[in-house]
Amino acid sequence: MAHPISAFQAAYISIEVLIALVSVPGNILVIWAVKMNQALRDATFCFIVSLAVADVAVGALVIPLAIIINIGPQTEFYTCLMVACPVLILTESSILALLAIAVDRYLRVKIPVRYKSVVTPRRAAVAIACCWIVSFLVGLTPMFGWNNLNKMQRTQELNGSHAEVIITCQFETVISMEYMVYFNFFVWVLPPLLLMLLIYLEVFNLIRKQLNKKVSSSSNDPQKYYGKELKIAKSLALVLFLFALSWLPLHVLNCITLFCPSCQTPHILTYIAIFLTHGNSAMNPIVYAFRIKKFRTAFLQIWNQYFCCKTNKNTTSSTTAEAGN
């Protein structure tokens, strides 16, 4: 028999649903904008679409699964593990998409003349496919054996039970903290974030050098090119900063759990960290809308073509029909 949901759980579920209702439409709008606007078809925006797909999945899949885990149903061990793994896959996908975007921006300012011959649509598609393959391998590693099943079985044997492992489904019950800290954080989260930081520092350094060069009156195009690159690089660096700000608190809490088992972390801090990770999926469309002109133009075009004007047309048609009658 299911336990009644507490007031705290109801508040948690409400906030999660609100994040999902912002994240899913916002990121679908990003994908829609790239699809319909020819100006958003270069490699950078393809990587942004990959990031948006991961963010849609966070709102549509991870958040509902997180709500299920919060309720804590009684399940078989591997069933719970399957519920816990999607967030690991999508987190890694987001990190690798951000890394691909950073490398792409670096190439745009390092080799502007040869960029289009080096970063072809085919190579961008291969890079995106590789990012997702690696994400699945990293995120599904607990399914391959690096999990808490042996620990749970030993506990059952000490209690004299040899039945199938049935547990209250919680993330930390099935996912090993050694995996989360040593493998997930120290290998697949922290190094890419530090690498991206170095890449963006070099991007800004290269752009600054180009903009500081004395230019003649006939060389406006390079100045215009690097000025535009600077604006886009700042916006994408902001996306990276928000991602790090959203995800590092939870990983720090995981480190505390592993390295200081006796330390008591307030539950409210854990919930805030979880909200930050899920809320990050809703932030990017807002950044694009306010910081990248091409996206802002595409969003307004979609609004005018499919929502605002469509409503006006329907109203006009209804009025015309009534007048004819």
Side-chain angles (χ1 to χ4, degrees):
M1 186 174 177
H3 296 289
I5 296 174
S6 67
F8 186 84
Q9 283 180 317
Y12 166 81
I13 292 170
S14 299
I15 295 172
E16 289 281 37
V17 169
L18 181 62
I19 293 171
L21 290 175
V22 175
S23 175
V24 174
N27 284 287
I28 288 175
L29 190 61
V30 170
I31 298 166
W32 192 355
V34 173
K35 184 178 185 301
M36 71 172 291
N37 194 327
Q38 196 67 33
L40 296 171
R41 294 291 178 84
D42 65 17
T44 301
F45 296 107
C46 292
F47 295 131
I48 286 176
V49 166
S50 179
L51 181 60
V53 168
D55 286 338
V56 168
V58 168
L61 177 64
V62 170
I63 287 178
L65 293 179
I67 290 171
I68 290 172
I69 286 179
N70 182 260
I71 294 171
Q74 296 290 312
T75 66
E76 193 270 330
F77 185 88
Y78 274 100
T79 302
C80 184
L81 198 57
M82 288 176 65
V83 171
C85 281
V87 68
L88 303 174
I89 297 169
L90 296 171
T91 304
E92 191 56 40
S93 173
S94 297
I95 291 170
L96 294 178
L98 289 168
L99 180 57
I101 290 169
V103 172
D104 177 71
R105 300 325 292 184
Y106 173 76
L107 293 175
R108 286 186 75 95
V109 298
K110 184 69 174 177
I111 51 169
V113 177
R114 294 191 298 117
Y115 171 78
K116 287 189 177 179
S117 62
V118 173
V119 185
T120 62
R122 179 181 175 83
R123 287 174 179 170
V126 170
I128 290 169
C130 289
C131 288
W132 279 98
I133 290 169
V134 171
S135 301
F136 272 93
L137 291 175
V138 172
L140 290 177
T141 296
M143 293 293 295
F144 303 145
W146 197 345
N147 55 52
N148 287 335
L149 180 60
N150 290 336
K151 188 187 296 183
M152 302 297 297
Q153 287 175 332
R154 285 196 298 270
T155 302
Q156 278 202 339
E157 287 171 5
L158 289 174
N159 294 332
S161 172
H162 299 280
E164 186 180 31
V165 179
I166 303 297
I167 59 168
T168 299
C169 187
Q170 299 287 340
F171 188 86
E172 290 183 18
T173 305
V174 293
I175 300 293
S176 164
M177 272 299 122
E178 286 82 3
Y179 160 83
M180 285 301 300
V181 174
Y182 292 126
F183 186 68
N184 190 277
F185 183 45
F186 287 167
V187 176
W188 290 104
V189 174
L190 195 57
L193 288 177
L194 293 174
L195 178 58
M196 282 183 268
L197 174 62
L198 294 176
I199 291 172
Y200 275 111
L201 288 175
E202 181 61 15
V203 166
F204 290 129
N205 183 47
L206 289 170
I207 293 173
R208 181 182 56 80
K209 286 179 180 178
Q210 291 296 330
L211 292 177
N212 286 342
K213 282 183 179 179
K214 290 182 178 179
V215 293
S216 65
S217 58
S218 61
S219 58
N220 291 327
D221 285 344
Q223 288 290 95
K224 185 178 178 182
Y225 176 83
Y226 286 105
K228 183 181 73 172
E229 285 301 314
L230 180 61
K231 288 180 182 178
I232 295 177
K234 283 181 177 178
S235 300
L236 296 174
L238 176 59
V239 170
L240 171 62
F241 172 75
L242 290 173
F243 182 89
L245 193 68
S246 299
W247 279 95
L248 287 178
L250 187 61
H251 284 291
V252 169
L253 289 177
N254 288 339
C255 290
I256 292 171
T257 300
L258 179 64
F259 298 129
C260 184
S262 60
C263 298
Q264 294 295 321
T265 306
H267 286 299
I268 189 65
L269 288 182
T270 303
Y271 278 105
I272 290 171
I274 291 170
F275 288 143
L276 282 173
T277 61
H278 294 167
N280 179 253
S281 63
M283 295 176 190
N284 294 342
I286 298 169
V287 173
Y288 302 149
F290 282 98
R291 301 274 308 180
I292 302 179
K293 187 178 178 181
K294 287 181 180 179
F295 267 116
R296 188 161 59 249
T297 302
F299 291 162
L300 289 172
Q301 185 182 348
I302 290 170
W303 172 256
N304 291 330
Q305 186 174 342
Y306 294 95
F307 298 101
C308 179
C309 292
K310 190 172 182 180
T311 305
N312 292 339
K313 285 177 184 176
N314 290 339
T315 305
T316 304
S317 300
S318 299
T319 306
T320 306
E322 286 173 7
N325 292 332

